[in-house]
Amino acid sequence: MPEEDTRQRVAVPAYFTADSARKLGLHLDSIFKHLHKRKGFNGTVLVTKYDEVVYKGAFGFADFHRKDSLTTQTAFQLASVSKQFTAMAIMMLQEQGKLQYDDSVQQYIPSFPYHGITIRQLLTHQSGLPNYTYFSDELWPDRSKPITNDDVLNLMAEHKPAIYLQPNTRFNYSNTGYFILASIVEKASGVPFATFLQKHIFEPLQMNNTFTFNDELIAQTERVATGHTGGRQKRWPDYLDTVLGDKGMYSTVEDLYKWDQALYTQKLVKRETLEEAFTGTRQEKKIKEDYGFGWRIGHLESGDTVVYHAGLWHGYTTYLLRNPKDHSALIVLSNLPNGSLRYLKDIKQFLYPAQPDKPDDGEQSNVASAVYKN
């Protein structure tokens, strides 16, 4: 069956016309120009609705010292937005029969010192494992030497840092769990994690400006935004940047749009496999949001259920939200963590207002002007 025949589609309402899409784009342009000029937003953005790009823009510099302008094809470190790609690699291997979600970590990493932890618990942050960025600071002797996934696994086997919780007790967000998932991808597939992503995700989706951390690529400043401190000082990579799975991916807003669109198809995995990634797993009662496989699951004021993830790492802040109801997405990448992205809440209220009925364009304009008065 042709891929287009299996693509998930939603009906486009009569009010969403070429003219209304253009006006929405103009509103978004004024919002992000305001954020850039008044709040210091420095980064790139892409917004879609009904699978169509209604707005994309780039604001500020890739490197404040060089004063080179950002474009929507500039790559940023994705930080924890990387986790959804790690989860996808695991799902692909599960479909191929090379692993099962309830397999133990020891089936792939025999030296792993913590027993009773499964791949599923790593995916859903139920492992209770200690944070590798903390214990590596204590146990890695030479900070000038990059540390790899295997190095961290060796530290865990040798020193067995104390766990935070017993596995499957409750949700406890874990970067450690996701770097271990990347190592499991390597063991189950027989190729390096970066190679697996390139061959099975980036190349098939033509994500040509997407890659994992690589010193040579990072040095190509025309392709990659430099991370900065809030004070606009350059934030250099350090020894932890070479650990992959929880972070370490670089991409552009345009490539992430290709990723978003692929998730409405079965190019990578079957629809039922992907649906599990978007299904909540937290056991606690009275939670505001849930977590699937590499995706947070939340609710907008409009009542829509969305999947999203944010990231913060070494001078980068990132955000990717997908709303399956109207096939819309909000993708924002920044290389200046100065707090400007806290206004994302206002942008979401503008894009997904709380009115019971779909607002017409005039109503959306009123929301935007109310939120972003100078």
Side-chain angles (χ1 to χ4, degrees):
M1 183 180 292
E3 182 268 318
E4 282 301 313
D5 290 347
T6 63
R7 180 184 176 88
Q8 284 183 312
R9 301 181 185 278
V10 290
V12 179
Y15 76 82
F16 187 74
T17 63
D19 186 56
S20 69
R22 182 185 63 82
K23 290 180 179 178
L24 176 58
L26 290 173
H27 290 322
L28 287 164
D29 189 56
S30 66
I31 289 171
F32 279 96
K33 282 179 177 175
H34 173 88
L35 286 177
H36 173 60
K37 292 178 181 178
R38 299 298 179 90
K39 307 299 180 183
F41 171 67
N42 194 91
T44 59
V45 58
L46 188 146
V47 180
T48 72
K49 200 171 182 69
Y50 297 108
D51 297 311
E52 178 182 333
V53 176
V54 295
Y55 180 71
K56 62 180 180 180
F59 301 87
F61 299 118
D63 185 311
F64 278 91
H65 177 71
R66 293 164 56 94
K67 296 286 193 290
D68 48 348
S69 296
L70 288 166
T71 76
T72 56
Q73 295 183 339
T74 305
F76 292 70
Q77 154 77 265
L78 294 187
S80 285
V81 172
S82 305
K83 288 182 170 70
Q84 58 202 248
F85 293 88
T86 304
M88 175 58 78
I90 290 288
M91 290 188 285
M92 296 175 88
L93 290 168
Q94 187 269 341
E95 278 200 351
Q96 295 169 20
K98 294 183 178 179
L99 58 78
Q100 299 298 321
Y101 297 142
D102 295 316
D103 289 346
S104 71
V105 176
Q106 281 81 10
Q107 289 177 240
Y108 306 90
I109 308 171
S111 64
F112 190 68
Y114 308 93
H115 291 270
I117 296 175
T118 66
I119 291 174
R120 188 186 301 276
Q121 289 160 5
L122 298 177
L123 286 166
T124 60
H125 299 285
Q126 304 274 350
S127 70
L129 288 169
N131 189 326
Y132 81 90
T133 64
Y134 298 159
F135 67 70
S136 294
D137 270 350
E138 299 175 6
L139 301 174
W140 190 244
D142 185 358
R143 303 286 181 83
S144 66
K145 180 183 176 184
I147 190 170
T148 67
N149 288 43
D150 284 346
D151 291 328
V152 182
L153 289 171
N154 290 336
L155 289 180
M156 296 176 82
E158 179 181 355
H159 299 280
K160 198 177 181 181
I163 60 172
Y164 292 163
L165 297 165
Q166 289 297 320
N168 213 35
T169 302
R170 62 177 173 83
F171 179 90
N172 187 59
Y173 188 82
S174 176
N175 288 313
T176 304
Y178 269 77
F179 103 72
I180 294 170
L181 287 170
S183 296
I184 290 173
V185 169
E186 293 193 352
K187 306 297 183 183
S189 68
V191 299
F193 179 65
T195 302
F196 186 94
L197 294 183
Q198 189 68 37
K199 180 179 179 181
H200 296 283
I201 300 178
F202 305 158
E203 288 180 3
L205 301 185
Q206 298 182 331
M207 297 174 68
N208 299 324
N209 292 310
T210 301
F211 52 90
T212 50
F213 182 88
N214 176 304
D215 284 325
E216 293 181 5
L217 289 169
I218 303 306
Q220 297 178 22
T221 52
E222 72 278 5
R223 288 189 61 188
V224 183
T226 301
H228 295 84
T229 67
R232 300 188 177 186
Q233 298 300 307
K234 188 173 292 189
R235 181 72 163 86
W236 297 98
D238 68 16
Y239 79 107
L240 288 168
D241 278 272
T242 37
V243 178
L244 303 177
D246 60 312
K247 54 172 173 46
M249 263 189 59
Y250 286 72
S251 191
T252 69
V253 290
E254 296 200 23
D255 272 7
L256 290 173
Y257 169 57
K258 296 176 182 178
W259 164 248
D260 161 68
Q261 288 294 289
L263 298 180
Y264 291 117
T265 73
Q266 301 187 83
K267 288 180 179 179
L268 300 177
V269 292
K270 297 174 185 176
R271 182 158 297 125
E272 54 266 31
T273 300
L274 190 57
E275 282 304 311
E276 191 166 5
F278 301 147
T279 301
T281 59
R282 294 183 61 174
Q283 303 170 44
E284 309 96 303
K285 297 179 180 178
K286 296 182 179 180
I287 56 173
K288 290 186 177 180
E289 63 176 29
D290 215 321
Y291 203 95
F293 294 173
W295 292 92
R296 296 184 184 273
I297 303 164
H299 305 283
L300 301 173
E301 291 190 9
S302 63
D304 298 348
T305 298
V306 295
V307 294
Y308 76 99
H309 219 293
L312 173 64
W313 178 256
H314 286 183
Y316 301 90
T317 54
T318 58
Y319 189 82
L320 169 55
L321 177 145
R322 302 178 71 245
N323 185 349
K325 184 176 180 180
D326 60 2
H327 280 212
S328 61
L330 170 61
I331 307 168
V332 184
L333 305 176
S334 174
N335 60 333
L336 183 65
N338 58 358
S340 60
L341 291 193
R342 66 177 179 268
Y343 294 96
L344 281 172
K345 180 180 178 182
D346 296 335
I347 296 167
K348 286 187 291 184
Q349 287 176 340
F350 164 60
L351 289 172
Y352 308 106
Q355 290 92 334
D357 300 316
K358 288 281 186 183
D360 63 24
D361 190 67
E363 287 174 314
Q364 288 195 326
S365 177
N366 290 336
V367 173
S369 62
V371 172
Y372 292 99
K373 287 182 178 176
N374 288 339

